[in-house]
Amino acid sequence: MKIITFVKHVPSSGATPRIAVTKRGIEEEGLAYEANETDLYAIEEALYQRFVHQGTVTAVTIGPRRAQAALHVAYAKGVDHGIHVLTEGSHGTDTALNVAAAAEVVKKQGFDLIFTGIQADDDLQGLFGIALAEHLGIPVISAVTQVNVSADKKTAVVTRELGGGYKEEFEVDLPCLCTVQFGIRPVRYSSIMAIVKARSRKIESMSLEAMKIASRQASRMSIAELSYPENSGQCQMLDGAPAEAVRTLVANLVEKGVI
Amino acid sequence: MEYSIVPAREIFRHFSVLSIGIFYLTALISVGIFAYGVWLRVAKYRGGRAVAQHGLTWARVRETALVVLSHSKLRKRNALAGWAHVLIFFGFLTLLAGTITIWIDHDVLGLFGIHFWKGVFYLWFSATLDLMGLALLVGLAIMAARRWSTQPQFDYSRADRKAGTYSRLGYVRDDTIFLAILFLIGATGFVTEALRILADRPDFEVWSFVGWQLANGLSAVGLSRADANQLHFYCWWLHAILVFTFIAYIPYSKAIHILVDSANLLVRDPVAGKRLPAISEDVAGLGYQRLEDLTWKDRLNLDACTKCGRCHVACPARAGGWQLSPRDVILDLREQAEAKLGGGSLLHETSLAHDGSAGGGLIKPEVLWACTTCMACMEACPVGIEHVPLIVQMRRNLVEQGVMEPNLQKTLEKIGSSGNSFGEAAQNRAKWTQALPFRIKDARKEPVEYLWFVGDYASFDPGLQEITRSVARILHRTGVDFGILYEAEQNSGNDVRRVGEEGLFQMLIENNLAALGQARFKEIITTDPHTYNTLKFEYPEFGGEYRVRHYTELLAELIESGRIPISHPLDAIATYHDPCNLSRYTEVTDAPRAIMQAIGIKLIEMPRNRSNSFCCGAGGGRIWMASPGSEERPSHQRMREALELPDVKYFVVACPKDVVMFREAAAAVQGAGHIQVKEMIELVEMAISETVPALS
């Protein structure tokens, strides 16, 4: 079975990003990056399917040079191949461009299953997987929590999450695409040694030019302004002995009209 | 008769040539079985991986001889058992030397007609051997009484399995046989001697005072000289057969510790645990996954265990009801090694039911993750077994497989991405300094005398930042020239390494060394004893050789020299908890006590103090794990230990993690409400308040 997964290299949430002067993007300087969390769940699921059905898992990242680090993580987890589509200009948020590039890659590779994370931690668009399936003309199931592939029948029984804790089960023809929900199975720890070793693994590089994709397709949307979240609440630490602290707490709550 | 003039005795008294022949044949067989057993063991050790360095020097030989002869390690934790072992050890050694002396006289020099075992030498020899034989018996009797009569009974139970799923009857038998056979050898020796004396009554044998008195006793109960003469032959043989059985039995039982433990002490690593082993090139994975990964020294370590249980008793994880017992880790590995590689005991532990959770590695993950790397086990071990490095080697394998609890995984990922265990941005690291009325120097930008390595907890934990500022205030007021690394400092990696995440540790070292390389300073001081250990013992291997001290050492010096005048002595009673990393690891126990004395604290020691301190439970990455034990937490147990002391107002610590652990304990433990957990620096600040004029 040929499985392809997509992994995005996103700023880690540890540091608060600074908004650029233009207010239409964030400052790259001082940011730390990591592999997108749900994409790691997608990789874990892909590796599990490979464990059950044999085959290969290819991880693809689309982004600037630094995005190769996401593939090192993928290699450390155990994927067989890593492909990097270099897009120096975009910051990975141009879904149309990503989909066009991804479609070229998967058509060239051939596949039975595509796994992507349900969304990227930075822009939270949740578009990529769905748009790619649409572009390829294959079925797509989103928010997937379980996958049972029947290799003989070329189908899969896929469970997805609904609101209110309900679940929905589909039978779907392969090839298909699943956008994987958080927690489909535990993401194992990747040791730094494993990641360091993975740095010497070969990454296949593809350029947009070679794929004949215009680097910036016309978009009918543009960012007007980014702004920082406003403080909506406040927190106060009450010091002192427990009895005294409780008295202060009650006094404060009464003052604010809560009780 | 001649022998009544020149004191001596016949070796083979009234023996036929056939009897003598059988004796030598039996001796030969016995020594052969012994040699084969030893060879099996040596083969097992030789099959182990090579050790980069084992530190065997003349100084080590001297030091080991001193440890063995003085029994300092054996007497340390249990004086009674230690002294009993002194009696057994020297008793056994003297009897062995006596036997060898007779053999040389009879079978070596005797061949040339030379005999020295007679006359005055014989008399002193007889008296000495009787005295030491008695010592042996007394020692063995004490040990037997300890093991089988005192309460609580010696704890053979495993910490990681339910009773009934295994049987350690083999261990009980091994221990019993060892004790019993030695006792019987001693006892039959004396009876044989007494029977001979009773039969022959040479006057000079009064020098064999035990045998002489025993002969008197036997005579008093009516044993005739003729009967004694008869019985002597049988008793002699019984004694001989016991001795030969024992010799043959040595390499197949716990008796082998006589040889293995001396060797083990000789090759022990003086900084074991303090400086963990580097990743070995010749191991398939990053740590120990299979028996083949163990070095010859590790294998020797396993065989050195006598099941004395001191580590089992000292271990905070075991006391807290986790599945770890350092003793059981060693015994478990030994059982596996003996089953697979041979060269071991006749008597084993038997598993009555399959342990389903064992998994693929050598030791269950739950057992390995319970370790706080507090080193209490290694400190308590009288024979130099190095539990902690072994456990970390096996943890390295777990880390590589990704087998760990989610909390720990999250923390390691945070450290990996942000350089600190709080997952905070580097820019926030020195935020605690903003509430200070002065600016701390940036050691990367201007030279300082002391570079202060602050550490994660002291930097980021909101409950600790005021304490951290206390340190800064006092150093500043005293006019100490110091600085910090600001956002360039990262987690020092001490506990990351002890978790077994060697790659992350090396990454942290690399980053910290780069930051330290930018700074100009004479000496590093740390607030965190964990940081202190790795900077002192582990950074040098990666090229970071610095003079490092804990802040209490500097403070003690400043107080001693009068640079920090104490004008408001506290006049309070306190107890002090020695942090594992400050007491067992870096061996700083005097400085904190000197400070307390100087600031007017009356120190009452807890029963477990200094290098015998009891871990708070947070070390070795445990502070990042949530899995609970089945008993009361170690920190709570420790708080109860302090509660036993009269009138203690302050529970003093000198480690940021201890503040976190023990403030929780003081709040949770019933009856600890009156005890205030104080970081040393808080008390110092109280004792100098209003006296030292602020410099700016």
Side-chain angles (χ1 to χ4, degrees):
Chain A
M1 179 167 308
K2 270 192 133 173
I3 307 171
I4 297 184
T5 69
F6 285 88
V7 51
K8 189 177 179 184
H9 200 225
V10 297
S12 63
S13 53
T16 312
R18 282 172 298 128
I19 295 171
V21 236
T22 60
K23 296 202 169 179
R24 298 174 72 171
I26 55 171
E27 293 283 359
E28 294 250 332
E29 198 198 320
L31 286 179
Y33 293 88
E34 62 192 17
N36 182 45
E37 194 177 353
T38 51
D39 295 344
L40 296 179
Y41 284 107
I43 288 173
E44 288 290 354
E45 186 56 33
L47 293 172
Y48 175 75
Q49 295 302 334
R50 183 187 68 182
F51 170 72
V52 178
H53 301 285
Q54 282 77 48
T56 58
V57 175
T58 302
V60 186
T61 191
I62 303 170
R65 197 159 298 280
R66 62 165 165 79
Q68 288 198 351
L71 292 179
H72 298 151
V73 174
Y75 268 130
K77 299 257 178 238
V79 305
D80 303 290
H81 308 293
I83 298 175
H84 177 210
V85 180
L86 189 65
T87 62
E88 279 300 358
S90 100
H91 299 289
T93 49
D94 188 339
T95 307
L97 176 78
N98 291 348
V99 165
E104 287 299 314
V105 173
V106 298
K107 276 187 217 153
K108 198 173 151 206
Q109 299 293 318
F111 61 92
D112 299 301
L113 261 171
I114 299 176
F115 288 124
T116 71
I118 189 171
Q119 64 192 25
D121 289 343
D122 52 357
D123 58 30
L124 296 185
Q125 285 180 344
L127 289 174
F128 172 75
I130 296 164
L132 175 60
E134 197 58 33
H135 188 104
L136 295 169
I138 58 169
V140 57
I141 299 118
S142 61
V144 168
T145 56
Q146 205 181 330
V147 180
N148 289 310
V149 174
S150 166
D152 324 331
K153 290 197 286 175
K154 286 254 162 202
T155 58
V157 176
V158 176
T159 309
R160 68 181 296 273
E161 208 170 65
L162 294 177
Y166 290 94
K167 283 176 179 172
E168 189 172 29
E169 199 175 274
F170 288 90
E171 187 171 355
V172 60
D173 291 337
L174 300 186
C176 75
L177 188 148
C178 299
T179 75
V180 173
Q181 179 60 294
F182 285 91
I184 188 165
R185 60 185 70 252
V187 172
R188 292 158 307 141
Y189 181 72
S190 297
S191 75
I192 300 293
M193 285 282 187
I195 293 172
V196 169
K197 273 188 198 161
R199 285 188 194 143
S200 56
R201 299 284 296 272
K202 189 180 173 298
I203 290 174
E204 190 180 338
S205 192
M206 293 186 172
S207 68
L208 292 174
E209 292 77 35
M211 290 190 275
K212 299 192 174 62
I213 296 169
S215 64
R216 189 100 194 147
Q217 298 193 345
S219 174
R220 283 188 277 174
M221 286 193 296
S222 63
I223 297 170
E225 190 184 329
L226 293 175
S227 57
Y228 291 105
E230 278 170 29
N231 281 345
S232 56
Q234 61 170 3
C235 171
Q236 190 189 344
M237 302 299 282
L238 300 177
D239 296 328
E244 188 193 325
V246 168
R247 266 194 293 282
T248 321
L249 174 65
V250 172
N252 280 351
L253 290 176
V254 169
E255 192 184 310
K256 295 212 161 32
V258 180
I259 50 175
Chain B
M1 292 178 66
E2 197 188 68
Y3 62 69
S4 64
I5 302 161
V6 180
R9 73 168 188 258
E10 213 184 328
I11 298 296
F12 300 110
R13 185 176 172 274
H14 309 327
F15 265 46
S16 66
V17 176
L18 182 66
S19 285
I20 295 176
I22 292 173
F23 174 84
Y24 279 104
L25 188 66
T26 321
L28 205 66
I29 292 170
S30 154
V31 171
I33 297 172
F34 169 84
Y36 179 66
V38 170
W39 181 79
L40 283 180
R41 284 186 186 261
V42 171
K44 177 169 69 176
Y45 308 141
R46 286 173 59 96
R49 276 194 313 114
V51 178
Q53 54 193 114
H54 50 75
L56 187 54
T57 57
W58 279 113
R60 172 60 56 77
V61 175
R62 252 197 325 274
E63 189 195 335
T64 305
L66 211 66
V67 167
V68 172
L69 293 177
S70 70
H71 275 53
S72 53
K73 280 169 172 281
L74 261 164
R75 289 186 287 111
K76 190 166 57 182
R77 288 286 178 269
N78 190 325
L80 179 68
W83 281 111
H85 196 278
V86 167
L87 296 176
I88 298 170
F89 177 84
F90 286 104
F92 180 85
L93 218 59
T94 312
L95 295 180
L96 178 69
T99 310
I100 291 170
T101 307
I102 296 173
W103 175 72
I104 291 172
D105 181 82
H106 189 268
D107 292 335
V108 182
L109 299 177
L111 296 177
F112 308 99
I114 305 167
H115 289 284
F116 63 89
W117 187 56
K118 59 183 181 183
V120 177
F121 176 75
Y122 175 82
L123 295 178
W124 281 105
F125 178 95
S126 298
T128 311
L129 261 69
D130 264 34
L131 178 68
M132 297 314 285
L134 193 62
L136 174 73
L137 289 185
V138 170
L140 290 166
I142 295 172
M143 288 299 207
R146 243 191 98 236
R147 192 163 282 244
W148 291 298
S149 313
T150 56
Q151 294 294 330
Q153 281 268 307
F154 187 82
D155 183 13
Y156 279 100
S157 65
R158 288 185 66 131
D160 63 335
R161 293 203 193 159
K162 288 196 180 70
T165 60
Y166 65 95
S167 166
R168 282 191 158 171
L169 207 59
Y171 290 171
V172 179
R173 288 197 179 130
D174 188 28
D175 292 352
T176 312
I177 291 172
F178 179 56
L179 249 171
I181 201 166
L182 277 179
F183 194 88
L184 286 175
I185 286 171
T188 53
F190 276 129
V191 174
T192 308
E193 181 178 53
L195 292 170
R196 177 176 55 80
I197 291 170
L198 183 57
D200 297 345
R201 278 293 179 192
D203 292 341
F204 61 79
E205 283 292 5
V206 73
W207 283 73
S208 302
F209 61 96
V210 179
W212 185 267
Q213 294 304 333
L214 198 56
N216 291 348
L218 291 173
S219 177
V221 296
L223 188 69
S224 71
R225 288 185 67 170
D227 287 346
N229 197 35
Q230 284 273 311
L231 277 175
H232 174 262
F233 179 77
Y234 298 107
C235 200
W236 192 99
W237 267 110
L238 180 61
H239 179 70
I241 287 167
L242 281 169
V243 169
F244 291 144
T245 308
F246 178 70
I247 292 172
Y249 184 65
I250 288 174
Y252 309 95
S253 70
K254 84 179 285 185
I256 194 64
H257 83 271
I258 298 166
L259 299 175
V260 166
D261 290 6
S262 312
N264 200 57
L265 281 166
L266 268 178
V267 297
R268 77 181 191 281
D269 178 2
V271 286
K274 301 174 178 184
R275 189 192 57 216
L276 289 172
I279 295 279
S280 313
E281 300 289 327
D282 51 348
V283 173
L286 294 177
Y288 289 0
Q289 189 181 13
R290 309 161 308 147
L291 281 172
E292 289 75 13
D293 298 334
L294 270 64
T295 65
W296 62 262
K297 186 167 168 288
D298 295 325
R299 294 181 181 186
L300 191 68
N301 250 258
L302 305 183
D303 282 4
C305 180
T306 59
K307 314 186 276 290
C308 78
R310 288 165 196 229
C311 58
H312 181 79
V313 172
C315 179
R318 211 262 327 149
W322 279 272
Q323 294 195 31
L324 170 68
S325 155
R327 174 195 67 186
D328 293 346
V329 168
I330 297 298
L331 292 177
D332 209 338
L333 288 174
R334 177 157 92 192
E335 289 286 359
Q336 295 181 46
E338 288 182 347
K340 199 167 173 188
L341 309 166
S345 315
L346 286 176
L347 295 163
H348 294 279
E349 175 183 317
T350 44
S351 248
L352 303 180
H354 223 51
D355 191 29
S357 53
L362 291 163
I363 299 286
K364 274 200 290 188
E366 300 91 309
V367 173
L368 297 174
W369 285 128
C371 179
T372 68
T373 68
C374 77
M375 293 242 282
C377 49
M378 290 168 60
E379 174 68 25
C381 182
V383 298
I385 294 171
E386 294 159 8
H387 314 71
V388 172
L390 261 175
I391 288 173
V392 172
Q393 287 281 25
M394 290 186 281
R395 279 182 168 186
R396 285 175 179 170
N397 174 53
L398 295 181
V399 170
E400 199 185 5
Q401 315 286 326
V403 180
M404 64 181 77
E405 63 171 82
N407 275 341
L408 177 61
Q409 178 168 346
K410 273 265 159 339
T411 309
L412 291 180
E413 282 164 358
K414 274 186 210 164
I415 298 174
S417 61
S418 66
N420 65 75
S421 57
F422 288 74
E424 290 268 355
Q427 304 95 281
N428 296 341
R429 191 167 189 101
K431 248 188 175 170
W432 63 270
T433 62
Q434 288 170 7
L436 287 169
F438 53 90
R439 199 189 67 81
I440 297 180
K441 283 184 184 175
D442 186 338
R444 297 167 300 169
K445 295 181 181 142
E446 48 191 321
V448 292
E449 191 174 353
Y450 296 98
L451 175 85
W452 179 14
F453 203 105
V454 186
D456 279 3
Y457 267 80
S459 297
F460 289 115
D461 188 311
L464 293 173
Q465 287 172 339
E466 197 48 43
I467 293 171
T468 313
R469 283 191 282 271
S470 246
V471 177
R473 278 194 295 267
I474 289 178
L475 293 178
H476 180 72
R477 284 166 152 197
T478 314
V480 172
D481 179 25
F482 73 102
I484 59 175
L485 291 170
Y486 282 85
E487 71 275 8
E489 181 189 299
Q490 295 198 346
N491 183 301
S492 68
N494 185 71
D495 294 15
V496 168
R497 190 172 213 198
R498 274 146 192 81
V499 158
E501 206 339 356
E502 186 69 8
L504 182 55
F505 169 69
Q506 289 182 10
M507 190 179 104
L508 293 168
I509 276 212
E510 207 173 289
N511 295 342
N512 280 321
L513 285 182
L516 288 165
Q518 288 174 8
R520 274 172 298 162
F521 58 90
K522 287 200 182 112
E523 184 181 342
I524 298 177
I525 53 165
T526 75
T527 8
D528 180 11
H530 299 240
T531 303
Y532 181 17
N533 176 69
T534 192
L535 283 172
K536 181 172 177 172
F537 289 113
E538 295 181 323
Y539 274 47
E541 287 212 320
F542 295 84
E545 296 236 25
Y546 309 105
R547 179 176 149 89
V548 195
R549 282 193 296 171
H550 190 242
Y551 87 86
T552 52
E553 293 175 273
L554 175 64
L555 225 56
E557 199 177 274
L558 292 172
I559 293 173
E560 162 90 24
S561 66
R563 280 182 70 187
I564 301 180
I566 308 296
S567 59
H568 288 59
L570 296 177
D571 191 26
I573 297 175
T575 192
Y576 172 65
H577 165 79
D578 288 273
C580 309
N581 276 268
L582 202 56
S583 54
R584 280 188 283 272
Y585 276 85
T586 52
E587 296 177 32
V588 177
T589 53
D590 290 334
R593 286 173 173 79
I595 294 174
M596 278 184 281
Q597 194 184 12
I599 60 177
I601 293 280
K602 184 175 174 242
L603 175 67
I604 304 184
E605 296 281 7
M606 284 183 271
R608 292 176 287 186
N609 58 63
R610 295 188 188 249
S611 65
N612 190 24
S613 185
F614 187 66
C615 177
C616 71
R622 280 298 321 175
I623 202 162
W624 304 320
M625 298 180 224
S627 55
S630 61
E631 303 286 330
E632 190 179 36
R633 291 177 184 198
S635 56
H636 294 190
Q637 293 182 26
R638 184 66 160 162
M639 191 51 69
R640 281 189 204 289
E641 193 175 339
L643 279 176
E644 294 289 311
L645 309 173
D647 307 321
V648 166
K649 184 176 183 191
Y650 299 125
F651 184 100
V652 187
V653 297
C655 166
K657 292 185 183 86
D658 275 337
V659 178
V660 175
M661 297 301 287
F662 288 116
R663 288 212 167 141
E664 186 279 331
V669 171
Q670 190 111 44
H674 64 286
I675 289 192
Q676 297 178 38
V677 175
K678 290 282 184 196
E679 158 71 33
M680 184 79 67
I681 199 74
E682 295 181 276
L683 297 181
V684 174
E685 197 164 39
M686 281 159 70
I688 64 165
S689 56
E690 305 156 48
T691 61
V692 180
L695 292 177
S696 64

